Amino acid sequence: MLSTLNAAALIGIDAIKVTVEANVAGGIPSFTVVGLPDNAVRESRERILTAIRNSGFTIPPKKITVNLAPADIKKVGTAFDLPVAIGLLGSLELIGNRFEETLIMGELALDGSLRRINGALPVAIMAGKEGIKRLIVPMENAAEAAVAVSAAKSAIEVYGVESLNETVALLNGKRVFTPVTVNIAELFEGEQEYLVDFADIKGQGAAKKALEIAAAGGHNVIMIGPPGSGKTMLAKGLPGILPPLGFEEALETTKIYSVASLLEKERPLMVTRPFRSPHHTTSNIALIGGGSTAKPGEVSLAHNGILFLDELPEFSRNALEVLRQPLEEREVTVSRISVTTRYPAGFMLIAAMNPSPAGALKDPDGNLTAPPQQIQRYLSKISGPLLDRIDIHIDVPKVENSDLFAASSAESSMTIRQRVIAARKIQQERFATTTAPKIFTNAQMNSRQIKTWCQLDRESSQKLMDAMNRMNLSARAHDRILKVSRTIADLDGCQHIAMKHLIQGIQYRNLDRDFWSF
């Protein structure tokens, strides 16, 4: 007898509907899974049969064939265990024909209990678009799936089950189950805690102001300074001045973490901006994404948040160069033989580095801490094209002892955050009418939008031209200066870019000017 039901497969951070066809017929006893399954799906045969038997059901020695359609898309993971098991029981007429408009996903343990799966959120989003009325997932994934249902305000009923027996009882109507719901507003309630408050950082007023500008416009930043000057602490304080995540941003970020199996069980929705800080030994694939199953990398896990690269020159040259596409396109394209996958990568890059491999550039006597050739090799790992894509260059000098022992009078992160939110509101209103691709911050402006919103008067235009000639700046650096100047003007509440805003924006290109001067 043939039994048909719905499941789902993940492609990138999205899901597509998969039809599971299970047929039990006479013949030589066998269990065959077709439809381009990966090794995890192929190995599920013994796991499924053992779980069925340990749940009190009997599988006769017959020829079992399972097809996962469409057959030209690779099926990856263990989430097909439950739908295949239910399909077999349906073919044996142990379950009534109650599969219509139902989608089932789950991994089986040998005792018949269910384990957590990856990608429940994108599966639920897809189910709503496909007209599915009932979604059955492991209990640990139920809240996550319910978030998507609440977001779309759809009529899908999400049921969380803990075992194969519970799934059968639900489908046969032998037990009453209550659909799982989630209150989205409650997930965003409560004060968020951050690692570092700007009020706790001694000195570094210029660096703090630069990071405020970066937060207001979504700009990339590189900080250069000796060890102990506070670069890492400044980076860790940046999330505290960023605007809170909007619901659409939170949903998109949660999809990535759901697919990557990094979503916390107690938190079905990401309500804080991610802060990713990979070690400098991180490989290209771990940073950009990919692998045999094309998993999202650090640049995607930092989407709508911060990617902090400490000790930037210690990263391999290849690893740094692969950042160029996501910095420009705000997405990553991972190509494999069978499929091409795109992951969002709209992150703020915050990089930190020492001016010399020995740490400080010069010792207390004013001498270089390393030979010039060694310093040049160290700095040459940071290519010109990569620097071009970083909007703000900050010099972070050693903190003076007087600042260390002085009573703290610095602004708190919350105070700075309010100014950042006000500047972001101006940008949202400015770009409200933009069509695809939709943009939200000044850093995302293209050439046409720069021409519209970053106009300069004659005197300011001449000043910028002189700076470009003197500092030998590229066309990309020209655009970055205008974007940063636009953000500085927004923080001041000015409709037009004034000379003082432009001069400040030019000063943030100091690495273009003296990166090799030592």
Side-chain angles (χ1 to χ4, degrees):
M1 179 178 175
L2 177 64
S3 180
T4 303
L5 65 155
N6 299 312
L10 295 174
I11 299 180
I13 63 170
D14 296 313
I16 64 167
K17 188 171 75 170
V18 171
T19 301
V20 178
E21 300 171 331
N23 187 71
V24 179
I28 299 175
S30 63
F31 192 141
T32 305
V33 180
V34 296
L36 209 59
D38 75 335
N39 289 333
V41 179
R42 291 194 193 97
E43 292 174 354
S44 68
R45 293 175 295 184
E46 291 301 321
R47 187 167 59 247
I48 292 170
L49 292 177
T50 303
I52 290 175
R53 295 189 186 102
N54 288 337
S55 297
F57 302 100
T58 301
I59 299 292
K62 292 189 175 183
K63 182 178 181 180
I64 299 173
T65 305
V66 175
N67 180 42
L68 306 176
D72 60 340
I73 295 176
K74 191 171 185 178
K75 318 304 185 303
V76 179
T78 57
F80 293 100
D81 289 3
L82 184 59
V84 170
I86 294 298
L88 292 181
L89 295 178
S91 297
L92 297 171
E93 299 183 345
L94 297 175
I95 300 177
N97 187 18
R98 299 175 60 85
F99 302 146
E100 301 86 358
E101 299 180 334
T102 299
L103 191 147
I104 304 172
M105 297 292 285
E107 176 186 344
L108 283 169
L110 295 181
D111 62 355
S113 61
L114 290 176
R115 294 193 173 109
R116 184 182 181 89
I117 63 171
N118 300 339
L121 180 64
V123 167
I125 293 173
M126 179 276 296
K129 296 177 181 178
E130 292 288 339
I132 299 296
K133 300 300 182 184
R134 181 171 54 174
L135 179 61
I136 301 175
V137 294
M139 183 60 74
E140 292 185 16
N141 293 106
E144 178 187 341
V147 166
V149 174
S150 299
K153 298 180 180 179
S154 61
I156 301 178
E157 294 180 343
V158 177
Y159 293 95
V161 290
E162 296 183 343
S163 66
L164 177 60
N165 278 327
E166 282 194 5
T167 309
V168 173
L170 171 61
L171 292 170
N172 283 332
K174 292 184 177 180
R175 280 182 56 185
V176 177
F177 290 80
T178 303
V180 178
T181 58
V182 172
N183 188 326
I184 300 295
E186 288 184 358
L187 297 177
F188 284 92
E189 289 179 354
E191 187 64 31
Q192 299 171 359
E193 297 183 0
Y194 298 97
L195 295 174
V196 176
D197 192 293
F198 268 29
D200 300 328
I201 302 176
K202 302 292 186 178
Q204 304 299 4
K208 291 179 185 178
K209 183 61 180 177
L211 289 180
E212 178 184 341
I213 295 168
H219 301 288
N220 303 316
V221 177
I222 183 169
M223 297 180 285
I224 183 167
S229 58
K231 300 185 297 295
T232 301
M233 197 172 184
L234 285 164
K236 291 182 177 179
L238 184 57
I241 67 173
L242 287 173
L245 271 178
F247 178 70
E248 292 298 328
E249 290 178 310
L251 197 63
E252 192 172 39
T253 304
T254 304
K255 286 174 65 177
I256 300 171
Y257 277 72
S258 176
V259 170
S261 191
L262 293 176
L263 197 61
E264 297 178 11
K265 296 179 181 179
E266 298 78 15
R267 188 169 62 174
L269 183 68
M270 296 281 293
V271 296
T272 58
R273 294 187 182 275
F275 181 89
R276 304 293 299 183
S277 181
H279 192 261
H280 59 75
T281 58
T282 299
S283 67
N284 297 6
I285 292 178
L287 190 62
I288 209 72
S292 58
T293 56
K295 291 288 185 180
E298 291 290 339
V299 297
S300 296
L301 295 173
H303 183 61
N304 290 322
I306 296 169
L307 178 66
F308 176 48
L309 302 184
D310 202 3
E311 304 297 342
L312 188 66
E314 299 298 337
F315 285 80
S316 70
R317 180 69 179 258
N318 289 339
L320 294 179
E321 290 307 302
V322 297
L323 291 174
R324 287 160 61 174
Q325 183 213 357
L327 284 173
E328 201 73 31
E329 306 293 335
R330 298 181 61 82
E331 70 173 12
V332 172
T333 302
V334 179
S335 297
R336 293 295 179 265
I337 294 176
S338 58
V339 66
T340 297
T341 305
R342 287 182 173 84
Y343 293 108
F347 59 91
M348 282 179 61
L349 174 63
I350 308 298
M353 60 179 288
N354 299 323
S356 166
L361 182 63
K362 296 182 179 180
D363 61 23
D365 296 325
N367 301 314
L368 291 176
T369 56
Q373 297 84 356
Q374 188 177 352
I375 297 175
Q376 185 170 353
R377 283 196 303 271
Y378 175 76
L379 297 178
S380 65
K381 290 186 178 181
I382 316 300
S383 68
L386 180 60
L387 274 179
D388 254 0
R389 289 166 170 82
I390 300 179
D391 306 22
I392 298 176
H393 306 165
I394 310 174
D395 181 30
V396 185
K398 178 183 176 182
V399 180
E400 299 294 336
N401 292 335
S402 57
D403 290 330
L404 287 175
F405 289 93
S408 178
S409 59
E411 288 183 305
S412 68
S413 293
M414 184 57 67
T415 301
I416 301 173
R417 190 185 201 187
Q418 296 307 313
R419 294 199 295 268
V420 170
I421 292 174
R424 285 282 184 108
K425 186 177 180 181
I426 293 173
Q427 295 166 59
Q428 289 173 5
E429 294 172 353
R430 174 182 299 140
F431 304 126
T433 58
T434 58
T435 56
K438 186 68 176 175
I439 69 171
F440 302 94
T441 62
N442 290 331
Q444 301 171 17
M445 286 191 291
N446 57 31
S447 299
R448 184 177 64 256
Q449 290 156 348
I450 291 173
K451 186 176 181 180
T452 302
W453 299 107
C454 301
Q455 296 181 8
L456 302 176
D457 58 30
R458 181 175 299 179
E459 183 181 3
S460 298
S461 296
Q462 185 61 47
K463 182 71 175 179
L464 180 55
M465 183 183 298
D466 293 342
M468 291 189 65
N469 292 331
R470 185 176 67 257
M471 300 167 64
N472 195 27
L473 299 178
S474 67
R476 183 179 284 112
H478 166 273
D479 289 349
R480 303 282 170 173
I481 290 173
L482 289 177
K483 291 178 183 180
V484 172
S485 301
R486 177 68 268 171
T487 300
I488 298 170
D490 290 341
L491 283 168
D492 280 352
C494 297
Q495 186 176 359
H496 301 288
I497 298 175
M499 177 66 77
K500 62 178 181 178
H501 305 138
L502 178 65
I503 292 175
Q504 190 173 354
I506 293 172
Q507 290 175 345
Y508 288 130
R509 303 299 304 186
N510 63 332
L511 293 187
D512 291 323
R513 180 180 61 240
D514 53 20
F515 193 57
W516 306 102
S517 301
F518 45 78

